[in-house]
Amino acid sequence: MAAGNRESIRKIVAALITGTAACAYVMSPVVAYAQSNNSNSNGGTGAVTSPVKVNVPEGSKLVLSSNELTYNKDAQIVTATGAVQINYGGYKMVAQKVEYNQKTGRMMALGNVELITPDGNRMYGDKMDVTDSFSDGFVNALRVEMPDNTRMVAEKGERVGGTQMILTKGVYTACMACSEQGRAPLWQVKAQRVVQNGVTHTIRLEHARFELFGQPIAYVPWIEVPDNTVKRKSGFLFPSASISQRLGVGVRVPYYYVISPSMDATVTATGFTNQGLLLEGEFRQRLENGTHTLRVAGISQMDPGTFTAGSSDAEHKNRGMISSKGDFRINPRWTFGWDVMLQTDNNFSRTYGLDGINQSTHTNQAYLTGIGKRNYFDMRAFYYNVQNADDSNTAQKQQAYVYPSIDYHYVDPKSVYGGELSATMNFTHLSRDKTSVLDATTALGDPALNDRYLGLKGDYTRFSTELQWQRTFTTDEGLVLTPLAAARGDVYGLGMNSPGIGTYSGNYDGSDYATRGMVTAGLEAKYPFLITTNNSTHVFEPIAQVYVRPDEQLGGRLPNEDAQSFVFDATNLFDRDKFSGFDRVEGGTRANLGWRYTGSFDNGYRLQHIFGQSYQLAGRNSFASADLAGVGSDSGLETTRSDYVTMFGLTTPQGISLATSYRFDEKDFAFRRGDTSVGFANDIFQTSLIYTHIAAQPQYGFTSNQDEIQSRAQIKFKEYWSVFGTVSYDINNGQFTRQGVGLSYEDECTIFTVSFLDKKDSTSQAASDWSIGARITFRTLGDINLGNVQNATF
């Protein structure tokens, strides 16, 4: 008889599976909402999980197995009993008993019911009962487990009218189930009723309370949120708080607004106890090939006198900012974009910590970049916002407007005389409103010292191009020889003011234009040899280089805009031209001698070492030539025989690391400059210690040595719990420049961090000297912030 009703049974079981899937569908939005609220700083709800589909693929085969299958003709009930297993269209269900009543049109699964949906969700219940039209039904003792380890439990789930699912006494959490019997998870949300509306696509949690360690800490009469079919929905985001020395306590409340599928906005109001209401607005738009963001912010300060007198923070009551950022891809190789900001004064964004634009120096730029297989092109215009609380704004006016700087590099894919031919080009045009000069004579009281001109007022244009050819030969004995030839030319258009009379002895070229050239012939010889033992491998590589070239033309007589950041160490010992930019070019015949060593041991130890020295063999030493920016002075290269430079690195399988970089005087081996970094890390303890030494550099205004120690550490003292700290100490001045401490808890569902940071910020005297930060993150629900804990974390 059962066989005669096989088609009916197939329909019954298919209906049962689809009906149970419908139950799974209406349960999943609560979890999806929790994920959507883990939003980023840009606002919005972020990505959400895909809705659970109840559609079964066409042509799916139904597989049913049970110990017994019967049909009661009189009662019109089909019953499958004993280890019932049903597979249908990706859905899997097990139960002790499944019944279908043809009279009432209801189907029921009984006894340890488990349903696995195609996307990995698991539903458990003692009893699942739905109508054959799936418009009504209920599930007793419902439990849902999602693939991301989020869980939902309810005494009963009821589907009403085909559009609503009502959960009675529901509990939601993202924490793992506790091993101790009866112990509540770390946190959970309980609600008397959870109503999912299929028409409005919303979830309403009624009489909800948040519990921590099993104790209720917050109660909300009702909350209405979007379900998982809605990726974004307007509404308030999680508020946050902050506390700082001069702003006071701040409470930040953001509101997210969906404009269209490709546009949204976030409006944020932050109330500070000392300064009043800060309003922020952010508009975002996503196009087919990129994104655009527009931000505005403003405040009318209640008490500017709280800030340091004379600073821009104290002198401006009404303050504001507008910024725009765009990133677009033209095709797989070409991109363009911009990042620009304007503000009423030079420190507003930094004082109020506007995310992404609160740097001490913000770079405004527009760019076009192309990358090929063997070439690249980059064109950008930029300008710097110096945020330093100086109301006179001198530093700001000394910054250059660059419009534009163009770089192009090309490597010939074909061999040229057996070697590689490459070309490099740069074009730069800039202007400046005010000369940037460091008055060394006045600062040090020594009339023999020259001022350092970091930039001159006026216009400046330069076009540079260079060709280089090199080829590598290896002899039968293992000697590696690399000859090199290079030719470079520069054309200048000069419209800058000359340095002040009597303050620069470099004979500055005051003409309207200038040209210079440089040709180089070089040879590098390396003789690497390998030493192996039973448990280690060592590679020792002596290196000798010689570069023959004429003296640098117009050395020190031209502006130096892009070759000011120069430090001689082991990383650039073997560079052909050690200057960092195009405005200076190394001249004269120079030799570089040294070695490289790498050691590897079977027990996991690794060693690295570089040592060497550079020699000016003939011609004028470019690093000893007068320079507007003072580049080369006290660099270690200004003498015929340079300082010694070395570096050493060590890593161990125990988690210990050591890195050093030193420069020693060529005459008495005095310590001139260096860094020593020691670190250790394992599952329990992490720490690092950095010691930095810079010998006195009178030409740069530093009359005494600079020595600083920086250290950070983190100790995990108990499962999930750790304490961390950071400290920076100025040895010469005997003071702490930065110190902080914090406590952190982290498990699979919760992260909690609280920290205190005290720092001396010489570039922004009006900003807070100390701050307190705290953050608690409930996975899938979101963050609650108090201040900023990022600066103090390990």
Side-chain angles (χ1 to χ4, degrees):
M1 186 178 295
N5 291 275
R6 183 173 301 173
E7 184 64 27
S8 299
I9 294 175
R10 177 184 297 271
K11 294 180 180 179
I12 293 167
V13 177
L16 175 63
I17 291 293
T18 310
T20 314
C23 294
Y25 168 75
V26 298
M27 290 300 303
S28 61
V30 176
V31 177
Y33 155 67
Q35 293 175 338
S36 71
N37 275 272
N38 189 12
S39 58
N40 53 35
S41 60
N42 291 330
T45 57
V48 297
T49 56
S50 299
V52 179
K53 301 297 185 182
V54 299
N55 295 331
V56 176
E58 185 177 353
S60 298
K61 294 182 178 181
L62 185 147
V63 179
L64 168 66
S65 66
S66 64
N67 293 338
E68 183 180 358
L69 185 65
T70 62
Y71 175 57
N72 188 325
K73 185 176 181 181
D74 297 332
Q76 298 185 21
I77 295 177
V78 179
T79 305
T81 58
V84 180
Q85 297 185 28
I86 303 173
N87 294 336
Y88 185 57
Y91 292 90
K92 300 178 181 179
M93 190 184 74
V94 296
Q96 294 179 358
K97 184 177 181 180
V98 176
E99 292 184 350
Y100 174 66
N101 190 317
Q102 292 178 313
K103 291 181 177 180
T104 62
R106 301 194 71 89
M107 63 197 85
M108 183 180 300
L110 302 169
N112 298 324
V113 183
E114 178 182 353
L115 173 69
I116 303 176
T117 62
D119 59 2
N121 293 338
R122 294 175 178 265
M123 293 181 57
Y124 303 89
D126 293 337
K127 178 180 179 182
M128 295 186 182
D129 183 358
V130 295
T131 62
D132 54 6
S133 64
F134 318 126
S135 60
D136 299 283
F138 63 88
V139 182
N140 281 350
L142 177 65
R143 179 163 57 95
V144 182
E145 294 182 358
M146 301 297 176
D148 62 352
N149 290 324
T150 54
R151 294 164 173 79
M152 188 63 148
V153 179
E155 289 188 359
K156 183 177 70 172
E158 183 179 1
R159 185 169 176 83
V160 180
T163 60
Q164 287 189 341
M165 182 68 177
I166 301 175
L167 307 182
T168 302
K169 294 185 179 181
V171 180
Y172 168 76
T173 184
C175 298
M176 297 291 289
C178 296
S179 58
E180 299 180 17
Q181 185 69 23
R183 180 188 170 193
L186 178 63
W187 65 264
Q188 60 186 6
V189 180
K190 291 183 176 180
Q192 288 293 325
R193 290 209 324 163
V194 180
V195 181
Q196 189 267 343
N197 192 312
V199 177
T200 61
H201 299 285
T202 58
I203 301 172
R204 182 184 179 93
L205 293 90
E206 299 176 352
H207 300 291
R209 67 179 187 269
F210 183 86
E211 293 187 357
L212 191 63
F213 298 107
Q215 300 299 319
I217 62 172
Y219 169 80
V220 180
W222 61 270
I223 305 173
E224 189 170 89
V225 296
D227 66 18
N228 65 344
T229 64
V230 180
K231 292 186 177 182
R232 304 176 305 157
K233 190 173 182 66
S234 301
F236 286 98
L237 304 179
F238 275 95
S240 61
S242 63
I243 180 171
S244 60
Q245 185 176 2
R246 292 181 170 88
L247 300 180
V249 177
V251 178
R252 186 174 187 268
V253 179
Y255 182 84
Y256 177 72
Y257 179 68
V258 177
I259 302 173
S260 72
S262 61
M263 290 187 293
D264 57 28
T266 303
V267 178
T268 304
T270 306
F272 293 100
T273 55
N274 291 350
Q275 301 302 333
L277 183 64
L278 172 70
L279 294 178
E280 301 175 65
E282 182 174 5
F283 167 81
R284 294 168 295 272
Q285 182 177 18
R286 179 176 294 277
L287 305 174
E288 290 185 1
N289 62 338
T291 60
H292 170 243
T293 303
L294 177 67
R295 297 179 61 184
V296 294
I299 189 174
S300 179
Q301 298 185 145
M302 292 192 311
D303 187 11
T306 305
F307 299 101
T308 303
S311 66
S312 56
D313 295 315
E315 296 297 323
H316 295 273
K317 179 178 178 62
N318 298 315
R319 311 177 69 182
M321 176 280 308
I322 182 171
S323 70
S324 175
K325 183 176 182 180
D327 295 288
F328 296 91
R329 179 172 294 275
I330 302 174
N331 56 43
R333 293 188 176 184
W334 287 91
T335 59
F336 79 96
W338 65 87
D339 183 358
V340 296
M341 177 189 67
L342 294 175
Q343 52 186 355
T344 54
D345 60 87
N346 62 321
N347 204 45
F348 167 67
S349 297
R350 191 172 193 211
T351 297
Y352 286 92
L354 303 184
D355 186 45
I357 53 177
N358 59 346
Q359 312 94 332
S360 59
T361 301
H362 177 76
T363 303
N364 300 275
Q365 62 177 327
Y367 66 89
L368 173 66
T369 300
I371 301 178
K373 292 183 178 180
R374 300 180 66 87
N375 63 334
Y376 76 84
F377 172 90
D378 182 88
M379 178 176 67
R380 61 188 62 226
F382 49 89
Y383 176 67
Y384 301 101
N385 282 117
V386 179
Q387 304 192 79
N388 63 355
D390 180 6
D391 197 42
S392 62
N393 212 22
T394 300
Q396 186 71 52
K397 295 178 181 178
Q398 292 172 346
Q399 299 303 309
Y401 295 88
V402 182
Y403 42 87
S405 176
I406 302 174
D407 287 286
Y408 179 74
H409 182 74
Y410 172 80
V411 178
D412 195 326
K414 299 180 181 179
S415 174
V416 178
Y417 296 107
E420 180 186 83
L421 180 67
S422 62
T424 301
M425 287 173 280
N426 174 265
F427 174 82
T428 299
H429 176 75
L430 60 84
S431 65
R432 182 179 288 104
D433 294 333
K434 185 178 179 62
T435 296
S436 175
V437 57
L438 298 179
D439 193 346
T441 303
T442 301
L444 302 176
D446 186 351
L449 296 175
N450 295 322
D451 294 338
R452 296 179 59 230
Y453 289 86
L454 304 182
L456 300 175
K457 178 181 179 180
D459 298 323
Y460 158 94
T461 305
R462 176 185 43 76
F463 177 72
S464 303
T465 183
E466 182 178 67
L467 294 175
Q468 176 181 286
W469 175 89
Q470 63 179 12
R471 181 180 179 183
T472 299
F473 301 88
T474 303
T475 68
D476 295 338
E477 294 76 17
L479 179 65
V480 180
L481 299 174
T482 304
L484 175 146
R488 170 176 165 173
D490 303 275
V491 179
Y492 283 84
L494 302 173
M496 289 186 159
N497 293 358
S498 298
I501 299 175
T503 62
Y504 179 65
S505 60
N507 190 23
Y508 179 77
D509 188 344
S511 58
D512 294 335
Y513 70 92
T515 60
R516 68 177 181 184
M518 177 63 67
V519 293
T520 302
L523 177 66
E524 179 185 78
K526 299 186 294 186
Y527 191 71
F529 54 91
L530 176 67
I531 301 174
T532 60
T533 67
N534 292 333
N535 59 3
S536 64
T537 302
H538 308 265
V539 178
F540 186 78
E541 188 177 36
I543 302 174
Q545 298 174 326
V546 60
Y547 297 108
V548 180
R549 53 204 165 198
D551 293 342
E552 179 186 7
Q553 297 179 1
L554 301 175
R557 300 181 60 190
L558 298 172
N560 181 1
E561 294 287 344
D562 69 351
Q564 299 180 9
S565 57
F566 171 70
V567 174
F568 175 50
D569 57 21
T571 61
N572 56 20
L573 169 64
F574 299 111
D575 288 353
R576 172 169 62 89
D577 190 336
K578 297 177 177 59
F579 285 113
S580 59
F582 290 92
D583 283 334
R584 292 297 306 272
V585 55
E586 191 173 335
T589 299
R590 178 173 289 275
N592 303 314
L593 300 177
W595 65 74
R596 280 196 291 251
Y597 162 78
T598 302
S600 177
F601 298 83
D602 293 345
N603 58 7
Y605 285 81
R606 299 288 185 271
L607 297 174
Q608 290 181 315
H609 177 55
I610 299 176
F611 178 83
Q613 193 176 30
S614 185
Y615 302 85
Q616 187 73 24
L617 302 180
R620 186 172 65 248
N621 187 346
S622 294
F623 301 100
S625 303
D627 181 270
L628 280 169
V631 177
S633 300
D634 297 321
S635 66
L637 284 167
E638 72 275 14
T639 54
T640 301
R641 186 164 59 96
S642 79
D643 287 350
Y644 298 98
V645 291
T646 183
M647 66 82 64
F648 175 78
L650 166 68
T651 58
T652 72
Q654 294 81 18
I656 300 173
S657 62
L658 171 67
T660 65
S661 177
Y662 298 136
R663 177 164 65 88
F664 300 99
D665 188 89
E666 86 281 3
K667 294 180 180 179
D668 57 7
F669 225 69
F671 187 23
R672 295 300 183 192
R673 189 183 186 106
D675 297 283
T676 301
S677 174
V678 181
F680 174 76
N682 61 20
D683 295 337
I684 304 299
F685 180 58
Q686 302 177 49
T687 185
S688 68
L689 178 68
I690 302 174
Y691 167 68
T692 302
H693 169 78
I694 302 176
Q697 298 175 296
Q699 181 66 35
Y700 295 99
F702 301 108
T703 58
S704 60
N705 294 348
Q706 301 177 71
D707 296 270
E708 186 180 55
I709 295 176
Q710 303 176 51
S711 180
R712 293 187 176 187
Q714 178 172 306
I715 303 173
K716 187 176 182 180
F717 62 89
K718 193 176 181 181
E719 186 179 16
Y720 307 134
W721 288 95
S722 61
V723 61
F724 57 87
T726 178
V727 63
S728 298
Y729 182 72
D730 187 338
I731 298 176
N732 297 319
N733 294 325
Q735 64 178 1
F736 290 96
T737 58
R738 176 187 176 97
Q739 50 190 332
V741 65
L743 179 69
S744 178
Y745 172 90
E746 181 174 357
D747 62 15
E748 82 285 347
C749 65
T750 308
I751 301 174
F752 169 73
T753 304
V754 60
S755 66
F756 170 81
L757 180 64
D758 184 7
K759 62 180 179 179
K760 297 184 181 298
D761 191 346
S762 59
T763 61
S764 185
Q765 62 187 17
S768 300
D769 295 326
W770 59 264
S771 62
I772 297 175
R775 178 180 181 181
I776 184 167
T777 300
F778 301 110
R779 186 174 69 87
T780 72
L781 285 183
D783 300 337
I784 299 175
N785 293 291
L786 173 64
N788 189 343
V789 299
Q790 300 300 319
N791 292 330
T793 54
F794 180 79

